[in-house]
Amino acid sequence: APPARAIHTPSPPSATSRALAKPAEVLKDFSAALSCKPAELGFDVDLLGLAWEACLEDDVPSHTAKQIFGQIDAALMEGSVAQYKAYLLLDSDIGHVFFRTLHATDFAHREYKVKTAKEVAAGKELWCKANGVAEFCAV
């Protein structure tokens, strides 16, 4: 997990309900996401694989989380919490099977490099040995 000082989220002030909200209330969705395992973040491993395949076809040196999941559906990245969950997934062990982190800045500006098919195959094999998820490893 990243240190607390590395988590930055721009939150515009609201004239209504959020004006008097305590920080714990504002950040409760982010805290809940942080306590989730990668499989509980709302992104399927197959979806991550599809995004990897789409990014592999692009001829660009790096992608942001928004660009990666935007390949599948732009609605997946609507809102700060969804973007934070995508960052958590890409920064997890399963995310590192498909993508390499290039820039370690805050979650909204982190960039990833797409791994080659050979690297992904080797990464899947290692991940499967460590985690034993038959459904993902059979592919």
Side-chain angles (χ1 to χ4, degrees):
R5 68 179 182 277
I7 300 173
H8 304 281
T9 177
S11 299
S14 173
T16 57
S17 63
R18 296 288 183 177
L20 300 174
K22 295 180 181 178
E25 292 173 11
V26 174
L27 298 174
K28 74 177 180 181
D29 293 335
F30 292 92
S31 296
L34 185 58
S35 64
C36 290
K37 294 179 181 176
E40 301 168 342
L41 291 170
F43 298 96
D44 190 72
V45 174
D46 293 331
L47 182 70
L48 185 60
L50 286 173
W52 168 76
E53 288 176 6
C55 291
L56 192 61
E57 295 173 3
D58 290 347
D59 191 26
V60 294
S62 66
H63 294 82
T64 63
K66 196 169 190 172
Q67 292 168 334
I68 291 169
F69 289 104
Q71 298 271 2
I72 304 301
D73 185 4
L76 291 171
M77 298 303 294
E78 288 180 359
S80 297
V81 176
Q83 291 175 24
Y84 184 60
K85 286 180 177 182
Y87 153 75
L88 290 174
L89 179 63
L90 290 169
D91 203 47
S92 69
D93 290 342
I94 190 64
H96 288 170
V97 169
F98 297 99
F99 297 93
R100 180 179 299 113
T101 303
L102 291 179
H103 304 290
T105 58
D106 65 84
F107 78 91
H109 299 100
R110 189 167 284 207
E111 292 184 349
Y112 302 89
K113 180 178 180 181
V114 179
K115 289 189 175 182
T116 65
K118 186 176 180 179
E119 290 174 313
V120 169
K124 277 185 180 180
E125 186 177 328
L126 289 173
W127 189 85
C128 289
K129 284 181 183 177
N131 296 291
V133 180
E135 177 180 300
F136 175 65
C137 299
V139 177

